[in-house]
Amino acid sequence: MDLPLMIDRLRSYVEDETRTGDATALNAFADRLVHRYTELGATARRVPSPTGDHVVADFPGQGALSDAAPVLFLAHHDTVWPIGQLAGAMPWRLQDGVIHGPGVFDMKGGLVILETALAHLVGNGADHRPVQVIVVADEEVGSPSARELVTTESAGVVAAFGLEPPHPNGDLKTSRWGSTRIRITVTGREAHAALDPESGISAIDELVDQLIAVRSVVARHEHVLCNVGTLEGGGRTNVVAGSAWADIGFRFMDPETESAVLEAVTALPALRAGAVVEVKVMSNRPAWQPSAATEDLLAKVVAAGESIGQEVGGAAASGAADTNLTGWLGIPTLDGLGPVGKGAHAVHEQAVAASLAERAALVAAIITTI
């Protein structure tokens, strides 16, 4: 594996900034991926989506396994970072063997790892199953436009692997908590805050009380994470706010808890006469729970790692990703084949440079042995 070439490729990907929802930037990057995958022998295409197109690529198998069921790799090309982050708080730099920059860890490093492994296989002619690749454009907001695509395209695959970051020690991820985003929207009634406050209904006050009620629901259940990520409402201090909304992210260890919490939250009544409260599910990825099938797959990956002198481990994870969908469907699934590093969604995001080549070698070994 040519590490300097991988680092150069990663830099070019990071410098092509792709914030979730920026369709123009995401589609331009998708074109790059389609071109690259086609160069490597795949049939690749963009799958249209209003907020940014997804990419699907099908690589033929080789030798005795050319007609076997395919192995699936899941990735995404969106990041949480706004355009301009690279020129501001997070410039690209390689220092003491560590790469810094927006998206190096989550997850453009994973994209480089995958294409390097595929190029290696094309070059050495090793027998392997067909390989299917899905690169999603809105993973960072729960893949609302890609869920059906992942579900449909994963039918019939023998196993699924994610290119998300691994655990801090490099272990792969063998299960994930479920993730659901909801939006609570409150409609009140505007009025002059000093001259006629009694005729108004404060949407902000109602929303604050709704969020307290949500916390009360969450407190009744174990193994639930809840984060209010966005708040917006009102306009002026002399006007009773007529509208407000909040986006909330939940994490659930199991589907039973998810159902109970969401049922309770969506049933919360308005606390002020005349206020209207609406709750909408924005995205959902169900819990991917531990299974014997995944343990068997991990054993095969451990063996693949041993064949190239790498020690591979696995453990459960609390964060969600598109592998939730394949794991939930019962497909043997592992995630965390991205580079070792830290700082996902933080300004100190970084990846260990040497791990790019190590992970590419592991991915190539997986493809030729699964």
Side-chain angles (χ1 to χ4, degrees):
M1 304 300 169
D2 188 336
L3 181 57
L5 181 62
M6 296 183 75
I7 293 172
D8 287 346
R9 174 74 67 170
L10 178 55
R11 180 169 189 168
S12 74
Y13 280 2
V14 169
E15 290 177 343
D16 202 347
E17 295 177 283
T18 50
R19 185 180 187 176
T20 310
D22 189 328
T24 299
L26 288 161
N27 291 347
F29 196 94
D31 282 338
R32 293 189 66 180
L33 293 177
V34 169
H35 177 72
R36 179 60 176 150
Y37 294 154
T38 302
E39 279 185 334
L40 294 173
T43 301
R45 69 187 192 277
R46 275 171 45 181
V47 179
S49 174
T51 55
D53 291 357
H54 316 296
V55 174
V56 175
D58 294 293
F59 291 83
Q62 294 183 162
L65 295 174
S66 59
D67 294 326
V71 62
L72 171 65
F73 286 89
L74 295 170
H76 63 90
H77 60 299
D78 63 321
T79 77
V80 299
W81 302 111
I83 307 299
Q85 188 76 6
L86 185 71
M90 297 176 68
W92 166 277
R93 72 183 193 277
L94 172 57
Q95 182 177 350
D96 299 326
V98 178
I99 303 169
H100 303 258
V104 297
F105 185 53
D106 186 16
M107 68 167 301
K108 288 178 177 175
L111 291 172
V112 172
I113 285 167
L114 177 60
E115 69 175 64
T116 302
L118 292 167
H120 175 75
L121 295 176
V122 170
N124 69 14
D127 288 2
H128 65 81
R129 294 172 178 272
V131 176
Q132 187 173 23
V133 177
I134 303 175
V135 184
V136 169
D138 57 0
E139 190 279 336
E140 294 294 5
V141 292
S143 302
S145 72
R147 176 170 178 164
E148 183 178 351
L149 173 68
V150 173
T151 300
T152 300
E153 294 291 334
S154 63
V157 303
V158 69
F161 294 92
L163 278 298
E164 294 283 353
H167 288 289
N169 66 350
D171 279 356
L172 302 184
K173 297 176 178 180
T174 58
S175 64
R176 286 184 175 278
W177 287 31
S179 173
T180 298
R181 289 189 311 125
I182 70 166
R183 174 169 293 176
I184 299 178
T185 302
V186 178
T187 303
R189 184 166 58 239
E190 293 184 343
H192 196 291
L195 302 180
D196 192 23
E198 293 80 7
S199 67
I201 303 171
S202 174
I204 289 178
D205 288 350
E206 178 68 28
L207 179 60
V208 169
D209 288 341
Q210 289 292 323
L211 295 178
I212 293 171
V214 169
R215 291 291 184 187
S216 297
V217 170
V218 170
R220 298 198 294 266
H221 299 270
E222 291 186 305
H223 309 306
V224 179
L225 301 177
C226 174
N227 180 62
V228 180
T230 309
L231 284 169
E232 188 172 307
R236 297 181 179 181
T237 57
N238 61 354
V239 178
V240 175
S243 62
W245 58 269
D247 284 351
I248 306 175
F250 293 100
R251 309 285 188 176
F252 305 99
M253 179 178 283
D254 58 78
E256 293 77 19
T257 301
E258 176 183 16
S259 295
V261 170
L262 293 180
E263 182 177 344
V265 168
T266 55
L268 288 172
L271 301 176
R272 287 163 178 76
V276 177
V277 178
E278 298 177 293
V279 180
K280 179 180 179 181
V281 175
M282 306 295 288
S283 65
N284 168 261
R285 289 183 292 206
W288 157 32
Q289 296 185 287
S291 70
T294 289
E295 287 301 314
D296 289 344
L297 181 61
L298 179 61
K300 294 175 183 178
V301 172
V302 168
E306 290 175 346
S307 73
I308 56 170
Q310 293 188 26
E311 183 176 342
V312 178
S318 57
D322 289 327
T323 44
N324 280 63
L325 300 175
T326 55
W328 172 67
L329 289 168
I331 298 168
T333 299
L334 290 170
D335 206 342
L337 285 167
V340 176
K342 62 182 178 180
H345 303 186
V347 293
H348 63 279
E349 181 175 1
Q350 57 192 259
V352 177
S355 70
L356 293 169
E358 293 166 357
R359 288 307 216 202
L362 178 59
V363 170
I366 288 170
I367 294 172
T368 56
T369 59
I370 293 299

